[in-house]
Amino acid sequence: MVDGPTVVRAIEGAGFTHVVWIPDSHLGTWDGVLRVSPKIMQIRATREGEAVAVAAGLMLGGARPLVVVQCTGFFEAGDAVRNVVHDLGLPLKMIVGVRGWLARQRGKTGDNCPRFAEPLVRAWDIPAVWFDPTTRSPADCELALQMLATGSGSAAILWAE
């Protein structure tokens, strides 16, 4: 099981300098630890497209931001993602929380967010890997964030919620 302190340590260890995000009910559980991190500056955006734009500005200034949003917000941010990743060619790194994924695996939700999240990330030609914090270890989390950070292009972790 991976908890908020584990995730924040992994983000720090991967060398990210900022987390630009809109916390949801799941990802938001990282907030308390993230807020007191001496290595990560937390920036809360008003919309997911804004989070992507802020991350782009940080990258242009030499920072290493991580965008953290829920899948519904990723859907909303499509044009900003297109512009940053494909027009500007910036290596956008994201964690996309996939709301309802765990419940869908048990047949206990009609939420269609899990159905569309991965196809839409791939539609933007962004490599993605799944991460289920209920079955993976802290070491797996560190490795996933390290691989996300060190890849040369844009990439995403689809975070099972």
Side-chain angles (χ1 to χ4, degrees), residues 4-75:
T6 300
V7 175
V8 173
R9 277 193 307 275
I11 293 170
E12 291 171 344
F16 288 106
T17 58
H18 298 75
V19 168
V20 187
W21 71 330
I22 298 180
D24 63 16
S25 59
H26 178 86
L27 303 174
T29 61
W30 309 345
D31 184 63
V33 181
L34 189 58
R35 195 173 330 121
V36 297
S37 169
K39 297 180 179 176
I40 305 291
M41 179 175 285
Q42 176 186 182
I43 299 173
R44 287 182 178 230
T46 59
R47 301 286 303 182
E48 288 79 0
E50 180 188 41
V52 171
V54 168
L58 288 165
M59 284 186 273
L60 291 171
R64 301 185 64 213
L66 173 65
V67 171
V68 179
V69 297
Q70 192 180 54
C71 53
T72 52
F74 178 78
F75 302 161

Side-chain angles (χ1 to χ4, degrees), residues 11 14-16 28 52 80-82 91 98 105 112 116 119 129 144 146 158:
I11 293 170
F16 288 106
V52 171
V81 170
R82 179 198 56 78
V98 182
Q105 301 309 304
N112 60 22
F116 294 110
V129 296
Q146 196 65 240
L158 299 170

